[in-house]
Amino acid sequence: MRLILSLYIPAISIVLASCGGTSAPTTEIDLTVTDFQFSPNTFTVPAGKEITLNTSNSGAVLHNLIIMNLGKTAGGEFGDEDLPNIYWKLEMPSGDNLSITFTAPKEPSDYEIVCSIPGHIQAGMHGNMRVVGSE
Ligand SMILES: [Cu+2]
């Protein structure tokens, strides 16, 4: 019985995570990138945990995903002055599917996500990663 329960509980968690939209924190994110959008463009992760990001760039051009440092924004255009404010960056060539991990920030808050390629923020490539503390 113990074995059955331990298999059953992760299955429930996966179902809840997929139905919960952006409110339920998840350690696995499926992110599709197009010209010029992140989908989803908001997601919620648990503080300090290892997050698996499965990305697919179905756009025609190179994109990247940048998570900005706490309290930092790239504004309408990512410039050299924003480089020291990068928490984490992933390059996503057109047509590539990547699975990669990063460690979520320890500080619960909202963190801006952007694509730094010129013009892409203005075209719509920005969003929010919410970091929540453990309950
Ligand atoms: Cu882009």
Side-chain angles (χ1 to χ4, degrees), residues 33-34 36 38 61-64 115-117 120 125:
V33 179
T34 55
F36 299 87
F38 295 115
V61 299
L62 172 74
H63 294 292
N64 60 51
C115 173
S116 71
I117 295 170
H120 288 202
M125 298 195 79

Side-chain angles (χ1 to χ4, degrees), residues 38 64-68 74-75 78 112-116 121 125-127:
F38 295 115
N64 60 51
L65 170 70
I66 288 177
I67 300 169
M68 300 296 288
F78 193 96
E112 185 178 55
I113 60 173
V114 297
C115 173
S116 71
I121 293 177
M125 298 195 79
H126 55 85

Side-chain angles (χ1 to χ4, degrees), residues 32-62:
T32 301
V33 179
T34 55
D35 309 330
F36 299 87
Q37 226 164 14
F38 295 115
S39 181
N41 70 352
T42 60
F43 45 86
T44 304
V45 298
K49 291 281 164 52
E50 185 172 279
I51 310 300
T52 300
L53 192 59
N54 304 309
T55 70
S56 172
N57 181 357
S58 56
V61 299
L62 172 74

